Amino acid sequence: MKDSPPGTPTRLAALKLLDAVLRRGAPLEAAMDGACAELDRGDDRAFAHAIAAETLRRLDDLDRLIDVSTERPLPPDSKARMLLRMALVQALVLKTPAHAAITTILPLADGGPRKLIHAVFSRTMREDATLPDPPHLPAAVVDRWQRSWGAEAVETARRSLAAPPPVDLTIKADEDSAVWAERLEGVSLQPGHVRIAAGRRIVDLPGYDEGNWWVQDIAASLPARLAGAGKGRRALDLCAAPGGKTMQLAAAGWQVTAVDQSDTRLARLRENLERTRLRADIHVADAAQFAAEQPFDLVLLDAPCSATGIFRRHPDVLHRATARIIADAAEQQLRLIAHAASLVAPGGRLIYAVCSLEADEGEQIAKGFLGGHADWRLDPVQPEELPIGIVADKVGRVRVKPGTLADSGGADGFFIARFTRKG
């Protein structure tokens, strides 16, 4: 931007990212290439992402701070409010010097609001304002999660939102977990798992090039673990990309067919299969329409969902996952689980999972499926199948809530139910 202070293009990219999430409902990561197209440096792209992510992580608290500093409320979707959010989050969270935070923002104001933005920001800085730690969740999220999981879970979720989560790795060979925990300076919470501190460059770590492990949250690794040893049997991974579960199944001895409608996302799976020297038969197809000549011994459906369970790493989901999106996702899951069941052989298993903290997408889908399919029964998950700290509910389904594994860094929100087709 001509005659603008250095760093202004980075703030413009952050503004585009926030607009993509809050106005268009796009995932933050998916918006990166478009919003940051004019940024050549990797560190500039990373800082634009940091501004946007921290703004989304603390959006409600930033708005409270703005509202107490303005005589008349700014419209919720106004550019002035958005730019103030960005300036304040830089100064108060990212520790950008106050003069740099505001001078790189003002050129984006297009005239009129500049004086207002400068005045509100300056007043806030003079008053030594702070943001609460941990941050507050959006009111709609609090309402849903408090009704489903209770007030303690909401407070735990707040603490999870504030702390950068660790990185979980799935080890290709379970028996090598202790070796890799030592080499990677991490800790193993169950066979086939190692947890390491965040902030390390993944591709530079020992074992990456050799394909000895891949990144996968411990909760996301549970559905495939609950499939057990494959022993050459046939498994179908529906909605497979980016592929962690496909690789788990292949490593466990299953003959895997992986299906996803995104060829772009499947490209990442192909790369990881090559790196890990694992095999799968990959199909680009709509999971709801996929047909096979023979039924499968196992079908794993990690269904498209609101993804509210991954809010620790992706705070944008807290603002994108509206009631309508949750309802639409639940409807889609009902159709997908019915189709997935039709692809399972008699005596075979179906594992349904979602990375969601919404009961309408997890418990209610599992209950509805059993209610409409008399030839299926719930296959309860046993305590010995789960890592210490994660437990099944009273009927044998797994709900990973906020606070799970809190002492060791937490886990994504997940729901898993395992079913068996009656022979």
Side-chain angles (χ1 to χ4, degrees), residues 4-6 8 98-108 114 118 121:
S4 296
T8 298
H99 71 276
I102 190 63
T103 57
T104 52
I105 285 292
L106 290 177
L108 307 178
R114 291 179 63 140
H118 193 279
F121 179 83

Side-chain angles (χ1 to χ4, degrees), residues 283-317:
H283 293 261
V284 181
D286 182 350
Q289 304 295 326
F290 181 75
E293 294 181 0
Q294 300 178 40
F296 292 86
D297 301 297
L298 168 75
V299 174
L300 193 160
L301 173 64
D302 187 356
C305 67
S306 66
T308 50
I310 63 173
F311 72 95
R312 299 180 306 154
R313 293 182 177 86
H314 303 280
D316 53 301
V317 300

Side-chain angles (χ1 to χ4, degrees), residues 133-176:
D133 191 22
H136 288 90
L137 299 167
V141 174
V142 171
D143 182 58
R144 292 197 312 268
W145 291 0
Q146 192 157 296
R147 280 187 283 110
S148 295
W149 320 122
E152 184 177 349
V154 171
E155 287 305 305
T156 303
R158 286 185 61 196
R159 292 192 293 272
S160 298
L161 186 60
V167 175
D168 289 327
L169 308 176
T170 293
I171 308 303
K172 185 166 67 172
D174 285 1
E175 62 271 20
D176 294 339

Side-chain angles (χ1 to χ4, degrees), residues 216 220 223 235-247 249 256-262 265-266 269 281-290 299-305 329 332-337 339-340 343 350-355 414:
Q216 186 178 31
L236 172 64
D237 185 6
L238 284 175
C239 309
K245 297 174 184 65
T246 293
M247 291 186 289
L249 293 172
V256 188
T257 298
V259 175
D260 200 279
Q261 64 181 355
S262 172
R265 298 184 74 213
L266 282 174
L269 172 55
D281 183 20
I282 297 177
H283 293 261
V284 181
D286 182 350
Q289 304 295 326
F290 181 75
V299 174
L300 193 160
L301 173 64
D302 187 356
C305 67
Q332 182 183 24
Q333 289 160 35
L334 282 171
R335 294 191 296 270
L336 282 171
I337 195 172
H339 180 62
L343 301 172
L350 168 65
I351 297 176
Y352 157 73
V354 284
C355 58
F414 243 84

